[in-house]
Amino acid sequence: MKIPLKYNLRSLWVRRFSTAMTAFGIGLTVAVVLFMLALIHGLDSTFVQTGHPNHLVLIRQGSQNETASYFDKAIFDIVRLLDGVAKNANGEPLASGEIAVLINHERTGGDTTNVLIRGVSPVAFELRPEIRIIEGRRLRGGVRELIVSQSLSKRFKGMKVGDKVRIASSDWPIVGIFDASGTAYDSELWADYNDVAQEWNRPIYSCIVLRATDAQAAAQLRKRIEGDRRISLEVHDQKAYYQAQTQSSVALKALGVIIALVLGIGSCFAAMNMMYAAVMGRVKEVATLRALGFPRFSILASFIVESAILGLAAGILGCLLALPLNGMSTGTMNFLTFSEVAFNFRLTPSILLQGLLFSLAVGIVGGFLPARRAARLKLIDVMRD
Amino acid sequence: MKFVPFLLKNIFRNKRRTLLTMTSIAVSLFLVATLLTVLSELENPPMAPDSALRLVARHKVSLANILPLSYRQKIQEVDEVDAAVGAAWIQGIYEDPANIFAQMAIQADQIWEVLSDVKIPEDQKQAFVKDRTGAVAGKKLADRYNWKVGEKIVLKKGLWPADFELTLRGIYEAQDESALYFQWDYFNEAMNNQGIVGWYWIKAKSAEAVPRVAQKVDAMFQNTTAPTKTESEKAFVLGFISMMGNVQLMIKTICTVVVFAIILVAANTMAMSIRERAREIGILKALGFRRSRILGLLLGEAMSITLIGAIIGSVGARLVFSGVDMYEMTAGFMQRFLVTGETLAICIGTGLLIGIVASVVPAVQAARRPVVDALRRVV
């Protein structure tokens, strides 16, 4: 025989002050857990979203990422003419030799960090159709100018259209702002390749990005390049190359797990406290239910359900509290490239669901012992009082 | 004092409730203590004794830009400069790319003048300086990879397109024991004598001279193609930490929210426990106890519970982390992880505050309620 759900809902309502306090307390911890999840997911998704199929990234052997990579310009001329490299409408190979350098720049908050400048030629834009200029104009070569991503423009001082960024002894005007649709390029400044190579006095490439005509051609190119001793470059699938950078959030993930675990335990105790009070305050009711013929198991189930409802309410509250976070922009250091990565908090439905499951678990675990206590009440003892 | 037994009786009246409340406070304050320790280690990293004498001069544009080799002599000639060595970041691969630790090539002739606070046997110092492919490693680092003096260490191509085959000549003890140093001359040779220097490590004659030296060095190279940014070693280290973004704000926000959540939970418990005792409190008043005394007893009870929880949580954190090697756990990211006295004081103070805030409303209400009302209510 099942005790109707209405009984639990009414019981929670009768103690609404206490219910609300507990739900709010647990809800806050759910919000903290969601905060961590949204932060980690936002950081990871900038990397996961970057890259196209059949695109390859070539960097120097052993260098692990483009900011640590450099190689002779002659290598690019060999690679771009290989069979299997796709061509654009004008018959030019879709291969882009690029240079990645860092500059130390001040955030709007006042502290300074490294940001990445990518020196490119026009073909680089053809290989990243996700990049759109949203303000100002495109780059011109030979005049030392920069375009900047929208996120960096907001996060760093003096990076609006018309501002000038001082690099060593020269000023580089910002002529445009681009939106890279949430990819890793949203944390970069772009400039003309020759300008950067000249300013840094480094006539080298850091990486080559190219499009293969199809998957088969990509595999062949990889074999061809890795087998060529003149080239000595590592070949990475572009998506895998960026995916690998999700490991830069390892420290955050560890912190997130610790926080979720500790808060989960603390919340269970809070729920337990509230449910024990609920059970002890309703000893007579429980005895009456037993006397009416409800079996012990129904009582156990009923109290666990009540605690689960409490947990769920807390979860919903927590989700509502965390909701304003969604889309908020922030940034941290990518320890692999040693430069700023700007990203947005992302509170996806699946993360909200995780928050609800977390609070549901808190409710069920916290409610178990009090429910067992209720189920084990001795009828005779209670009735005698 | 005579009320202590009474207080204790009340605290243990409902043992389970008290225990649950204490535990939830202890667990939460354990977290707060942990987070505050992360914060304090980041904001105030442990610095070596002679760190106040050292400066770092790097390229103004970024640390990845290189400085001319010729700068060394010019820096050495600046007033109040004791010694200066050029260094370069290596980032080679030791056995596996996942093994990440600081590797630096450093001009060895004055290394021990600059690193004057490093403890290393005299013969090991000399052995390192004499051996072109020699290296020295911090004790923690050496322990991590089980290196002994004489060990062959190979750093494969990483940031630079060359392998470095080194022999460990010494193991040093210092504040920061996580780095490996080897001779810059060897690095330079492997790089075809390009003269690559990432930064200059400078030792000033006195701590007061540090800002003057920084200013002089920067002024000297201001109008060259490679202007410098020179700052104290501590400012340099803090600069790295600020790159991680607004960690401070994040940690403070989480701590505040957690404390607020505990206040709600504790307030709920206190309200329950005071409500149940309305009649008792009426009797106390009928016996002639003053409002202030009753209020004091109730607040004292709540504060005792939260205080004990806070002590268990924060002192527990200190004990736990003193037994855990955080250097190993975080793969060298956290040099040490000490829950300081200050952190303990903050946590325990917070515990007291939680007790007061959580119980003040129900306690005042209970103390104010007229005797007749209180006695009538439950009967």
Side-chain angles (χ1 to χ4, degrees), chain A residues 229-262:
Chain A
R229 299 194 58 190
R230 289 173 304 167
I231 299 179
S232 74
L233 295 182
E234 277 175 19
V235 182
H236 297 268
D237 175 65
Q238 196 183 26
K239 287 195 91 73
Y241 173 79
Y242 282 101
Q243 198 118 41
Q245 298 194 18
T246 54
Q247 60 166 281
S248 66
S249 63
V250 160
L252 268 180
K253 279 172 192 152
L255 191 66
V257 169
I258 292 172
I259 290 176
L261 211 67
V262 174

Side-chain angles (χ1 to χ4, degrees), chain A residues 64-115:
Chain A
Q64 297 184 65
N65 72 71
E66 56 199 358
T67 52
S69 158
Y70 59 91
F71 49 85
D72 208 75
K73 284 174 78 171
I75 292 176
F76 176 56
D77 295 323
I78 304 175
V79 170
R80 71 195 284 263
L81 298 174
L82 290 176
D83 280 343
V85 177
K87 298 202 162 53
N88 67 9
N90 303 328
E92 303 273 333
L94 282 170
S96 164
E98 302 174 355
I99 182 169
V101 294
L102 301 178
I103 58 164
N104 210 254
H105 202 84
E106 210 174 328
R107 290 195 185 105
T108 43
D111 42 3
T112 61
T113 188
N114 295 325
V115 282

Side-chain angles (χ1 to χ4, degrees), chain A residues 15 17-19 21-22 24-26 28-29 31-32 35-36 39 60-65 67-70 101-105 107 111-114 155 166-169 199-200 202 247 251-252 255 258-259 261-263 265-267 269-270 272-274 276-278 280 330-333 335-336 338 340 373, chain B residues 14 16-24 27-28 30-31 34-35 38 58-65 91-93 97-98 100 157-162 191 194 196 222 224-227 229 239-240 242-247 250-251 253-254 257-258 260-265 267-269 271-272 275-276 333:
Chain A
R15 323 170 61 92
F17 182 69
S18 193
T19 305
M21 293 268 264
T22 312
F24 201 57
I26 299 173
L28 281 173
T29 65
V32 170
F35 170 87
M36 290 306 294
L39 183 75
R60 184 173 55 78
Q61 277 172 8
S63 58
Q64 297 184 65
N65 72 71
T67 52
S69 158
Y70 59 91
V101 294
L102 301 178
I103 58 164
N104 210 254
H105 202 84
R107 290 195 185 105
D111 42 3
T112 61
T113 188
N114 295 325
R155 286 183 59 76
R166 190 160 183 84
I167 297 170
S169 48
E199 174 74 48
W200 264 260
R202 295 176 80 185
Q247 60 166 281
L252 268 180
L255 191 66
I258 292 172
I259 290 176
L261 211 67
V262 174
L263 284 181
I265 296 171
S267 301
F269 285 118
M272 219 185 272
N273 222 348
M274 148 99 191
Y276 266 122
M280 298 328 278
T330 183
T332 184
M333 163 104 127
F335 280 98
L336 298 172
F338 216 58
E340 173 91 352
R373 177 76 214 264
Chain B
N14 189 335
R16 185 170 47 219
R17 176 185 294 158
T18 304
L19 206 68
L20 285 172
T21 312
M22 267 185 199
T23 324
S24 63
V27 170
S28 307
F30 177 88
L31 181 68
T34 309
L35 290 176
V38 172
R58 61 160 172 91
H59 196 293
K60 201 175 176 183
V61 171
S62 93
L63 198 58
N65 292 53
Q91 212 184 320
I93 294 165
I100 296 168
K157 265 183 242 178
L159 185 54
W160 310 105
M191 297 297 299
Q194 293 180 60
I196 295 168
Q222 196 177 13
T224 62
T225 49
K229 179 172 177 185
F240 272 94
S242 78
M243 287 181 188
M244 293 196 323
N246 220 334
V247 184
M250 183 181 112
I251 288 181
T253 312
I254 293 179
V257 173
V258 169
F260 194 62
I262 319 174
I263 289 180
L264 285 175
V265 169
N268 191 22
T269 325
M272 281 192 293
R275 211 181 306 129
E276 282 169 14
F333 181 68

Side-chain angles (χ1 to χ4, degrees), chain A residues 11 41 47 54 71 78 80 96 116 153 178 183 236 249 312 380:
Chain A
S11 300
H41 182 67
F47 296 122
N54 299 336
F71 49 85
I78 304 175
R80 71 195 284 263
S96 164
L116 188 143
S153 168
F178 63 84
T183 59
H236 297 268
S249 63
L312 208 58
I380 302 283

Side-chain angles (χ1 to χ4, degrees), chain A residues 47-232:
Chain A
F47 296 122
V48 172
Q49 285 172 5
T50 312
H52 297 276
N54 299 336
H55 278 202
L56 299 177
V57 176
L58 280 57
I59 53 174
R60 184 173 55 78
Q61 277 172 8
S63 58
Q64 297 184 65
N65 72 71
E66 56 199 358
T67 52
S69 158
Y70 59 91
F71 49 85
D72 208 75
K73 284 174 78 171
I75 292 176
F76 176 56
D77 295 323
I78 304 175
V79 170
R80 71 195 284 263
L81 298 174
L82 290 176
D83 280 343
V85 177
K87 298 202 162 53
N88 67 9
N90 303 328
E92 303 273 333
L94 282 170
S96 164
E98 302 174 355
I99 182 169
V101 294
L102 301 178
I103 58 164
N104 210 254
H105 202 84
E106 210 174 328
R107 290 195 185 105
T108 43
D111 42 3
T112 61
T113 188
N114 295 325
V115 282
L116 188 143
I117 298 183
R118 186 182 295 275
V120 296
S121 50
V123 69
F125 290 92
E126 284 184 67
L127 285 162
R128 280 98 164 178
E130 65 270 31
I131 294 186
R132 289 175 302 119
I133 301 279
I134 53 169
E135 199 187 321
R137 59 168 173 83
R138 301 181 74 103
L139 277 176
R140 278 187 317 211
V143 287
R144 299 198 166 190
E145 57 187 26
L146 294 163
I147 55 173
V148 61
S149 78
Q150 195 180 10
S151 343
L152 287 191
S153 168
K154 281 185 195 144
R155 286 183 59 76
F156 283 81
K157 268 188 191 155
M159 285 203 181
K160 306 266 174 291
V161 172
D163 288 341
K164 288 192 171 75
V165 175
R166 190 160 183 84
I167 297 170
S169 48
S170 52
D171 283 325
W172 296 50
I174 300 230
V175 298
I177 291 177
F178 63 84
D179 175 15
S181 326
T183 59
Y185 307 118
D186 266 327
S187 308
E188 297 181 356
L189 290 134
W190 281 25
D192 178 68
Y193 169 79
N194 288 318
D195 291 348
V196 175
Q198 214 168 50
E199 174 74 48
W200 264 260
N201 196 18
R202 295 176 80 185
I204 47 98
Y205 286 118
S206 304
C207 69
I208 297 171
V209 179
L210 63 84
R211 179 182 299 162
T213 45
D214 52 48
Q216 205 190 350
Q220 270 164 3
L221 270 170
R222 174 191 292 269
K223 235 169 98 184
R224 170 83 178 74
I225 293 165
E226 283 178 343
D228 192 330
R229 299 194 58 190
R230 289 173 304 167
I231 299 179
S232 74

